[in-house]
Amino acid sequence: IVRDPRWGRGQESPGEDPLLTARYAIQYITGMQGNHSKFLKTSACLKHLGVYNQETNREGLAAVVTEQDMNDTFLPAFEASVRL
């Protein structure tokens, strides 16, 4: 989820729409892992999908969001990706 165009890497993201981000993540992960019934091409890791896009002070910043923002904006894409 990208809300600040000054981030500098916004072109690597589908934006701030939770539904679009969820669909993007699902397609990206499926493409990476493949569709073989027994083997994965690679194993996707949802490392920074929820509430993380800080470029400076990464090791010391705590991302603080409201419970509503977490549930409405950030978790839908993460949850959809995990349920693949």
Side-chain angles (χ1 to χ4, degrees), residues 23-56:
R23 290 182 176 177
Y24 177 88
I26 289 168
Q27 293 301 314
Y28 191 86
I29 291 166
T30 302
M32 285 179 58
Q33 293 185 162
N35 59 0
H36 194 280
S37 61
K38 189 173 178 182
F39 301 105
L40 295 174
K41 290 164 115 180
T42 187
S43 182
C45 175
L46 302 175
K47 188 173 170 186
H48 298 302
L49 191 59
V51 194
Y52 182 89
N53 68 355
Q54 187 67 28
E55 288 295 320
T56 59

Side-chain angles (χ1 to χ4, degrees), residues 1-83:
I1 304 291
V2 174
R3 289 187 169 157
D4 188 345
R6 297 171 299 168
W7 180 41
R9 294 174 63 184
Q11 75 278 6
E12 298 172 12
S13 167
E16 68 175 295
D17 181 290
L19 179 60
L20 180 62
T21 302
R23 290 182 176 177
Y24 177 88
I26 289 168
Q27 293 301 314
Y28 191 86
I29 291 166
T30 302
M32 285 179 58
Q33 293 185 162
N35 59 0
H36 194 280
S37 61
K38 189 173 178 182
F39 301 105
L40 295 174
K41 290 164 115 180
T42 187
S43 182
C45 175
L46 302 175
K47 188 173 170 186
H48 298 302
L49 191 59
V51 194
Y52 182 89
N53 68 355
Q54 187 67 28
E55 288 295 320
T56 59
N57 195 22
R58 289 180 182 200
E59 60 282 337
L61 178 81
V64 178
V65 297
T66 65
E67 184 177 354
Q68 180 179 351
D69 202 18
M70 177 68 88
N71 291 328
D72 292 348
T73 307
F74 294 101
L75 289 183
F78 185 80
E79 185 176 355
S81 302
V82 171
R83 291 179 185 246

